[in-house]
Amino acid sequence: MSERASDRQGTTGSPDTPEAIMDATYTALCDHGFADLTMQDIADESDKSKAALHYHFDTKAELLLAFLDHLYEHVTEEYATTEGDDAVERLVGFVDSVLCRTDPEEGQAFQTALLEIRAQAPYVEAYRDQLRRFDAFVRDRVEAIVSAGIEEGTIRADVDPADAAAFIATLIDGVNARRVAVGETDGGTRRQFLAYVRDHLVAPEADLEVEG
Amino acid sequence: MSERASDRQGTTGSPDTPEAIMDATYTALCDHGFADLTMQDIADESDKSKAALHYHFDTKAELLLAFLDHLYEHVTEEYATTEGDDAVERLVGFVDSVLCRTDPEEGQAFQTALLEIRAQAPYVEAYRDQLRRFDAFVRDRVEAIVSAGIEEGTIRADVDPADAAAFIATLIDGVNARRVAVGETDGGTRRQFLAYVRDHLVAPEADLEVEG
């Protein structure tokens, strides 16, 4: 969105218009889901009129792509680095931060809208491209943490960082899909994830405790 | 569906009508997805008229619930038992059979429609109930295989069968969601799944090889 939206910002005289629209889109997606969402629903969540939204974005699809772009910027900034004394702690912290929500109800509402968008990916190339960017970010972060762990000796040398990253990304997608489809929280999955990290990733000689 | 549909079978004089409608529904879901599917699309895939479909099912939602019911019967019958010399072989075989498709393109089309239905689960209780039945079946099968493995000594005694089942069900959901959203096959995930089975589930004293 940015180029187009910022081209127009000067004209509207409101430099924070796109940010406000993005916030309204998030709330509208949580409240209405993706399939039935209208420009009017988004306008209702903001102090803008539907006409003002259309001034920035011709179609709902264009607005949603801008929203995914905005979300990507936010997520990649927030999760670019993870605290931890060693790679194993950073890995568990990264997965926890991607999965855990401070507000589970809002988290589920947003994941539901995201799952609807995922199911549209085979039909809409632009959505698929955006989803692949998110996925590449998660896999790259996990791969980088695992590689650093192998180098520092906390993760086994025989682990393939790319395979481990694909596995963990799959697990994250599974937890998110299950929250929506069967309303499941990830308690048992987290215990097993920690067991997987402990038994499959941690170097035996590192003598690390992986705590739940 | 069965009670209602079979009540009416006598009247239509075609004992295989529901089965034919279910086959047409499967094909229509693969071709059109779930959101845009119409009764006419399903009629077009069968030798029935739209009116004939409505004779059996008042609404599209009712037909789709009947379809999920039919699918459940089919899946639970096909995957009720798994061949294998020991529990570990049966576990890998079960996961492979749930995940692998003889026709990847058709498999992806059907998984896309299923993901759309999953994303509707928070809004439609009847879909959620059906999805929970499928999920319970997968978890029960995995749990039973793992429990049998602990008893026969091929799976570690300290594994919690319910936790392992939740973890593996999550992984299966993740693979299916990723196929749709980012078009990923499960090659790397399968290698890591086998590594998880090898390192976390197999009893060291069992001296089993887990082959990819």
Side-chain angles (χ1 to χ4, degrees):
Chain A
M1 75 162 169
S2 330
E3 258 185 80
R4 183 165 192 195
S6 44
D7 275 359
R8 292 181 176 186
Q9 269 175 31
T11 335
T12 63
S14 166
D16 59 349
T17 297
E19 184 75 30
I21 295 177
M22 296 298 107
D23 289 347
T25 305
Y26 177 84
T27 311
L29 275 171
C30 289
D31 286 355
H32 302 276
F34 163 80
D36 299 326
L37 190 72
T38 64
M39 291 294 258
Q40 188 59 58
D41 293 330
I42 299 169
D44 289 345
E45 297 292 344
S46 72
D47 57 354
K48 311 271 177 288
S49 68
K50 197 176 140 189
L53 289 191
H54 276 295
Y55 182 82
H56 291 275
F57 306 102
D58 285 337
T59 61
K60 185 182 92 170
E62 198 184 302
L63 195 161
L64 283 172
L65 281 174
F67 174 74
L68 289 176
D69 204 50
H70 172 84
L71 193 67
Y72 180 82
E73 296 303 326
H74 175 77
V75 165
T76 52
E77 195 175 312
E78 187 167 341
Y79 302 138
T81 54
T82 318
E83 301 288 313
D85 290 340
D86 54 68
V88 174
E89 202 180 318
R90 287 198 298 282
L91 178 65
V92 173
F94 177 73
V95 172
D96 274 346
S97 66
V98 170
L99 283 181
C100 293
R101 310 275 163 192
T102 41
D103 182 338
E105 208 169 302
E106 180 182 309
Q108 168 154 10
F110 185 60
Q111 283 300 329
T112 301
L114 270 189
L115 199 65
E116 289 182 83
I117 295 172
R118 287 191 178 111
Q120 292 301 311
Y123 312 118
V124 186
E125 200 179 332
Y127 289 157
R128 195 167 59 241
D129 292 344
Q130 286 281 10
L131 293 173
R132 283 188 171 149
R133 281 174 82 203
F134 278 98
D135 186 54
F137 169 73
V138 170
R139 280 190 289 107
D140 287 352
R141 286 286 298 130
V142 171
E143 197 173 330
I145 295 171
V146 170
S147 295
I150 293 172
E151 203 145 309
E152 78 186 13
T154 53
I155 290 180
R156 288 189 195 184
D158 65 348
V159 169
D160 180 318
D163 272 4
F167 187 79
I168 289 170
T170 304
L171 207 57
I172 290 170
D173 286 344
V175 169
N176 286 332
R178 292 173 71 73
R179 269 191 189 161
V180 176
V182 293
E184 193 187 82
T185 58
D186 50 336
T189 302
R190 187 176 188 276
R191 281 197 295 279
Q192 285 284 301
F193 169 67
L194 294 178
Y196 159 78
V197 170
R198 193 185 298 124
D199 295 339
H200 184 62
L201 299 185
V202 172
E205 62 275 19
D207 194 30
L208 280 182
E209 289 287 320
V210 180
E211 299 286 358
Chain B
M1 74 159 170
S2 331
E3 257 185 81
R4 184 165 190 196
S6 43
D7 275 359
R8 292 180 174 184
Q9 269 177 32
T11 334
T12 63
S14 167
D16 60 348
T17 297
E19 184 74 30
I21 295 177
M22 296 299 107
D23 289 348
T25 304
Y26 178 85
T27 312
L29 275 171
C30 289
D31 286 356
H32 301 277
F34 163 79
D36 300 327
L37 190 70
T38 64
M39 291 292 261
Q40 188 60 58
D41 293 330
I42 299 170
D44 290 346
E45 296 293 345
S46 72
D47 57 355
K48 311 271 176 291
S49 67
K50 196 175 141 191
L53 289 191
H54 277 295
Y55 181 82
H56 291 275
F57 305 102
D58 284 336
T59 63
K60 186 181 93 171
E62 197 185 305
L63 195 161
L64 283 171
L65 281 175
F67 174 74
L68 289 176
D69 204 51
H70 173 84
L71 193 66
Y72 180 82
E73 298 301 328
H74 175 76
V75 165
T76 52
E77 194 176 313
E78 187 166 343
Y79 301 138
T81 53
T82 318
E83 301 286 313
D85 290 340
D86 54 68
V88 174
E89 202 181 318
R90 286 197 301 278
L91 178 64
V92 172
F94 177 72
V95 172
D96 274 347
S97 66
V98 170
L99 283 180
C100 292
R101 309 276 164 191
T102 40
D103 181 338
E105 207 169 302
E106 179 182 309
Q108 169 152 8
F110 186 61
Q111 282 300 329
T112 301
L114 269 189
L115 199 65
E116 289 183 83
I117 295 172
R118 287 191 179 111
Q120 292 302 308
Y123 311 119
V124 186
E125 202 180 328
Y127 289 157
R128 195 166 61 241
D129 291 345
Q130 287 281 11
L131 294 173
R132 283 187 173 150
R133 281 174 82 202
F134 279 96
D135 185 54
F137 170 74
V138 169
R139 281 189 290 107
D140 287 352
R141 286 287 298 131
V142 172
E143 198 173 328
I145 295 171
V146 170
S147 295
I150 292 173
E151 204 145 309
E152 78 186 14
T154 52
I155 290 183
R156 288 190 197 182
D158 65 347
V159 168
D160 180 318
D163 273 4
F167 187 79
I168 289 169
T170 304
L171 207 58
I172 290 170
D173 285 345
V175 169
N176 286 330
R178 291 173 71 75
R179 268 191 189 161
V180 175
V182 294
E184 194 188 82
T185 57
D186 51 335
T189 302
R190 187 175 188 277
R191 280 197 298 279
Q192 286 283 303
F193 168 68
L194 294 178
Y196 159 79
V197 171
R198 193 184 299 123
D199 295 340
H200 184 59
L201 298 186
V202 174
E205 63 274 18
D207 195 31
L208 281 182
E209 290 286 320
V210 181
E211 299 286 359

